[in-house]
Amino acid sequence: MKKFLLPLASFLFFGINAFAQPGALDATFSTDGIQTINPTNVFDNAQDVIVLNDNKIFMCGTTGSFMDFDMMVVKLNEDGSYDSSFGNNGVFTLANTLGSDFAYDMTLLPNGNILVVGAKSLTAADTQFAAWAIKPDGTLDPSFAVNGVYETNLDTGEEYISQALIHNN
């Protein structure tokens, strides 16, 4: 009997792992392994994702409709549900009355803030560099630049920041 149980146990342990599909969806995330983020029910575009040590997830991108896109950051719990302790029920958006904002990248700062970078529209053809510092509760950090927003315009064309790199804090 011992000769039979050891091979059976080995087969079950190694066999299950051998048949597991790499990249298979985790059904414990959301209800089927997929979470659709669509706060405005119009257009949403994710550009970057950060997974924290506690397995919570930050995503940044753009939300809105044609000619009126806003920068967006979403925080999800480990199971894929919105983290209601962040922003407005898990979603931070920053409306721009001049045009559209685009978030392309983000990084977690040593103080726990999230630095999001991208572009802010001045007109449809003129964007400027933009960076936003967002506190862990989903509000702008007023101690960063001007009320949490850094922006600079070099010319009448398009400028944007596509990646945030932090070196030595």
Side-chain angles (χ1 to χ4, degrees):
M1 185 68 166
K2 288 181 185 178
K3 290 181 183 179
F4 176 73
L5 288 178
L6 183 57
L8 178 61
S10 297
F11 173 77
L12 288 175
F13 179 76
F14 294 111
I16 290 171
N17 290 332
F19 293 111
Q21 298 296 316
L25 294 174
D26 178 358
T28 65
F29 183 77
S30 192
T31 57
D32 57 2
I34 300 171
Q35 175 61 289
T36 302
I37 307 300
N38 191 234
T40 60
N41 294 317
V42 181
F43 175 85
D44 298 297
N45 180 332
Q47 292 290 326
D48 194 22
V49 175
I50 296 174
V51 179
L52 303 176
N53 290 336
D54 62 0
N55 292 326
K56 291 195 177 190
I57 303 162
F58 278 114
M59 296 180 355
C60 75
T62 304
T63 188
S65 59
F66 183 69
M67 299 300 290
D68 188 23
F69 295 110
D70 294 322
M71 176 276 262
M72 170 184 67
V73 177
V74 173
K75 187 175 183 184
L76 301 176
N77 293 311
E78 183 176 8
D79 65 0
S81 62
Y82 287 91
D83 182 342
S84 62
S85 70
F86 180 81
N88 184 10
N89 294 317
V91 180
F92 171 86
T93 57
L94 186 62
N96 175 5
T97 57
L98 297 176
S100 298
D101 298 325
F102 305 94
Y104 295 118
D105 193 37
M106 65 183 164
T107 191
L108 191 62
L109 298 174
N111 66 359
N113 286 353
I114 305 107
L115 180 66
V116 181
V117 297
K120 179 178 178 182
S121 292
L122 300 173
T123 67
D126 187 10
T127 60
Q128 63 184 352
F129 293 122
W132 303 270
I134 302 169
K135 298 189 304 185
D137 66 357
T139 60
L140 287 171
D141 179 356
S143 70
F144 176 79
V146 177
N147 296 321
V149 181
Y150 168 81
E151 48 195 47
T152 190
N153 195 23
L154 300 178
D155 58 30
T156 58
E158 293 184 7
E159 296 100 25
Y160 59 90
I161 303 171
S162 63
Q163 190 169 27
L165 301 172
I166 304 299
H167 180 71
N168 292 333
N169 296 329

